[in-house]
């Protein structure tokens, strides 16, 4: 089949698909849409998803692989607000690991996050070897100590984390999380980090519905993004891949009973 095919018997020439196409692949006429610029297609699937008469078919994003969106699936505004607000950054975990099938379910939703020009390109590495996680914490502490010795403290909390680890034996880096999700992308990917931020945001929002807790591993990211080889070499990344994000994952040790408030909303309007 061609990249985009139109069933003329069903098509009403409404023009919605052409209007929605972000790459201007389609142009509409009295006979319906025509793919005049197929080389511009980013395979977002919008044309198939938005067609009210289901008259379009797409070679890369066929209708058979799209999920019907029913009105009953939509959350009301209050439920959605509570859902979004109830996600907490979990820093106390039970030792129990999340099963592989649950993590796959989580990552399957994360991959649906929007990406620049629908390039996608975010991959994941699930680290659950406890010894490896402990080594990662140790390497990050060593990086902090080296930074402090050079007078190049990247973050004002470095001294506190080093003291907690060296004097009290506490891991305030990965917090004893039984699993760590690393996002990776090609080194040349222009929007690798931005795409990862959306992906891991989806992951964090969806995790509570699976009974899981998560927290952004910011200190891990500081170290990884600095190019600290002793840390990066622990993970044997494929050539040409770089770490673009990290999130701790596991079952929360404690349950929250309230939703904390935030700073007052600040908004300016230009009319």
């Amino acid at each position: 089949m061609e990249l985009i095919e139109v069933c003329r018997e069903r098509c009403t020439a409404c023009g919605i698909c052409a209007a929605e196409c972000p790459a201007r692949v389609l142009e509409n006429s009295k006979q319906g849409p025509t793919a005049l610029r197929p080389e511009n297609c980013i395979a977002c699937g919008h044309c198939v998803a938005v067609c009210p008469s289901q008259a379009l078919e797409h070679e890369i994003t066929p209708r058979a692989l799209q999920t019907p969106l029913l009105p009953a699936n939509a959350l009301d505004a209050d439920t959605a607000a509570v859902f979004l607000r109830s996600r907490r950054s979990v820093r106390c975990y039970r030792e129990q690991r999340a099963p592989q099938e649950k993590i796959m379910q989580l990552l399957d939703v994360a991959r649906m996050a929007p990406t620049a020009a629908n390039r996608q390109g975010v991959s994941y590495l699930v680290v659950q070897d406890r010894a490896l996680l402990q080594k990662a914490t140790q390497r990050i502490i060593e990086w902090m100590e080296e930074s402090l010795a050079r007078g190049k403290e990247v973050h004002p909390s470095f001294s506190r984390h080093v003291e907690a680890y060296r004097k009290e034996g506490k891991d305030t880096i990965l917090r004893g999380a039984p699993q760590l999700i690393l996002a990776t992308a090609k080194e040349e990917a222009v929007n690798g980090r931005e795409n990862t931020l959306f992906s891991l945001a989806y992951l964090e929002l969806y995790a509570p519905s699976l009974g899981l807790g998560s927290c952004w591993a910011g200190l891990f990211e500081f170290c990884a993004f600095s190019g600290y080889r002793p840390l990066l070499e622990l993970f044997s990344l494929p050539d040409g891949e770089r770490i673009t994000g990290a999130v701790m994952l596991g079952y929360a040790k404690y349950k929250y009973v309230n939703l904390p408030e935030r700073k007052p909303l600040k908004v300016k309007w230009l009319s």
Side-chain angles (χ1 to χ4, degrees), residues 87 103 105-116 119-125 181-185 191-207 214 216 221 244-247:
R87 188 219 64 85
I103 293 182
Q105 187 178 353
L106 183 65
L107 295 177
D108 201 41
V109 166
R111 74 181 175 91
M112 297 296 180
T115 56
R119 290 191 179 95
Q120 302 174 58
V122 180
S123 299
Y124 307 93
L125 175 63
I181 307 294
L182 300 181
T184 66
N191 299 104
R193 173 61 172 169
E194 291 83 353
N195 294 341
T196 293
L197 294 175
F198 280 111
S199 171
L200 294 183
Y202 267 43
L203 182 150
E204 287 213 294
L205 287 170
Y206 187 52
S214 65
W216 215 277
E221 289 188 349
T244 50
V247 166

Side-chain angles (χ1 to χ4, degrees), residues 179-250:
Q179 285 146 318
L180 178 69
I181 307 294
L182 300 181
T184 66
K186 296 292 184 183
E187 290 179 351
E188 68 271 16
V190 177
N191 299 104
R193 173 61 172 169
E194 291 83 353
N195 294 341
T196 293
L197 294 175
F198 280 111
S199 171
L200 294 183
Y202 267 43
L203 182 150
E204 287 213 294
L205 287 170
Y206 187 52
S209 69
L210 299 177
L212 297 173
S214 65
C215 183
W216 215 277
L219 295 169
F220 181 100
E221 289 188 349
F222 282 160
C223 186
F225 295 169
S226 77
Y228 190 62
R229 297 307 308 172
L231 175 67
L232 298 177
E233 288 170 357
L234 293 176
F235 305 105
S236 303
L237 296 178
D239 291 341
E241 291 276 326
R242 62 188 174 99
I243 293 175
T244 50
V247 166
M248 296 173 273
L249 185 73

Side-chain angles (χ1 to χ4, degrees), residues 65-84:
L65 296 181
Q66 295 198 359
T67 302
L69 188 59
L70 305 175
N73 298 142
L75 295 176
D76 64 78
D78 290 340
T79 302
V82 173
F83 166 74
L84 291 170

